[in-house]
Amino acid sequence: MEMIEVIKKRSTCLRRQVGAIIVKDKRIISTGYNGSPMNTKHCEEVGCLREQLKIPSGERHELCRAIHAEQNALVQAAYSGTSVKDAVMYITTQPCSLCAKMLINAGISKVVYKGDYPDEMAMEMLKEAGVRIVKVEG
């Protein structure tokens, strides 16, 4: 969990910094943090549309330039041809419903997270799909 706190410092999001690590067979196979896609301007450079429109956390994800930390970790694994099936994802914040659906379909078997996020559907879907969920304190 300490490592995802370090990884989240790379985030370029102006509202919330999130870090993620995917672990398989006791080895880190991928990391991710929330930020703009490769070769595009970061929110630090162009501002935050969600902030300008006063969109609450957990709503209207499509209006964000950034890709979520969980998504970035999955994409980085795919980019290098690394399977995440039966892996564990550690995240600084509970996943949103979009990320939960991706984690389920990617074959992530367990999610360990710290901070809450206002998205009950995500947790319901993870439970329904049989993904183990562990919240750690601190």
Side-chain angles (χ1 to χ4, degrees):
M1 295 306 286
E2 187 175 329
M3 292 179 75
I4 57 175
E5 290 295 330
V6 173
I7 289 167
K8 84 176 189 179
K9 291 178 182 178
R10 295 201 32 94
S11 171
T12 57
C13 179
L14 301 174
R15 292 177 72 167
R16 179 192 308 256
Q17 286 71 45
V18 180
I21 295 177
I22 301 175
V23 175
K24 188 172 182 179
D25 300 325
K26 299 181 181 180
R27 290 191 168 95
I28 295 171
I29 59 172
S30 185
T31 65
Y33 53 88
N34 55 329
S36 299
M38 290 189 318
N39 304 318
T40 66
K41 291 183 180 177
H42 295 283
C43 301
E44 295 169 330
E45 299 172 80
V46 298
C48 176
L49 179 60
R50 292 171 53 79
E51 192 68 29
Q52 293 165 11
L53 297 175
K54 298 183 181 4
I55 297 171
S57 184
E59 297 179 17
R60 304 289 313 270
H61 296 115
E62 75 278 8
L63 294 178
C64 182
R65 292 184 66 81
I67 180 170
H68 289 186
E70 303 94 318
Q71 295 168 357
N72 246 337
L74 291 172
V75 169
Q76 289 305 314
Y79 192 81
S80 66
T82 304
S83 172
V84 298
K85 186 177 184 310
D86 299 323
V88 178
M89 180 170 281
Y90 295 86
I91 320 164
T92 54
T93 307
Q94 172 203 311
C96 71
S97 56
L98 294 173
C99 289
K101 290 183 263 187
M102 290 181 177
L103 297 175
I104 292 164
N105 280 357
I108 296 292
S109 64
K110 181 178 177 182
V111 171
V112 180
Y113 72 98
K114 275 174 59 170
D116 292 322
Y117 189 74
D119 193 333
E120 290 180 34
M121 186 169 99
M123 300 307 276
E124 291 169 8
M125 291 180 76
L126 289 166
K127 288 175 189 171
E128 180 183 344
V131 176
R132 291 180 304 181
I133 305 165
V134 177
K135 181 179 182 183
V136 296
E137 299 299 325

